[in-house]
Amino acid sequence: QVQLVESGGGLVQPGGSLRLSCAAFGTIFSINDMGWYRQAPGKDRELVAVITSGGSTNYADSVKGRFTISRDNAKNTVSLQMNSLKPEDTAVYYCYGDIVRLATLRRSDYWGQGTQVTVSS
């Protein structure tokens, strides 16, 4: 089995910063893309940022210049540094991983349980 465990959400004032972290646990052969999605109330889940195993990154236009995604391949972790937060960043943030399990050598998408980020004064 594979699990993604997130941490780091919370309440922050506009203009503040938060750092989200996610660790993948289990019998993992390899991890391809890792990333973060978010879902605000009444809206569809949307991509925030993604990073390949080689370190290439892609960001939603709404977060470019404010958010930075990084990963540690040795530790199977991905992080999202969020700066200059805005009320419209309020959402549940989900960690994502395109993971190959050791037992099956098959790729599957795995998701974390979600962590709430609230930006409000």
Side-chain angles (χ1 to χ4, degrees):
Q1 287 286 7
V2 173
Q3 257 190 322
L4 297 181
V5 179
E6 301 144 345
S7 60
L11 173 64
V12 64
Q13 291 186 342
S17 298
L18 279 176
R19 185 176 180 86
L20 305 182
S21 297
C22 173
F25 296 98
T27 51
I28 295 170
F29 178 75
S30 65
I31 303 179
N32 300 306
D33 292 354
M34 297 189 82
W36 293 90
Y37 284 70
R38 67 186 181 187
Q39 188 166 19
K43 294 188 176 181
D44 293 334
R45 190 175 295 190
E46 63 174 359
L47 173 70
V48 177
V50 64
I51 184 167
T52 69
S53 57
S56 297
T57 59
N58 191 33
Y59 295 92
D61 287 343
S62 59
V63 307
K64 283 181 181 176
R66 300 188 297 122
F67 291 10
T68 303
I69 189 170
S70 60
R71 67 188 282 177
D72 184 330
N73 291 332
K75 296 181 179 179
N76 290 338
T77 60
V78 63
S79 298
L80 185 69
Q81 178 65 41
M82 304 185 293
N83 299 328
S84 302
L85 282 160
K86 304 175 181 180
E88 51 263 44
D89 294 318
T90 296
V92 177
Y93 284 69
Y94 296 91
C95 174
Y96 155 81
D98 175 2
I99 297 173
V100 179
R101 288 181 58 199
L102 183 61
T104 62
L105 297 183
R106 289 185 176 179
R107 296 173 61 173
S108 295
D109 293 341
Y110 291 88
W111 296 88
Q113 78 281 5
T115 186
Q116 177 70 46
V117 171
T118 302
V119 184
S120 175
S121 55

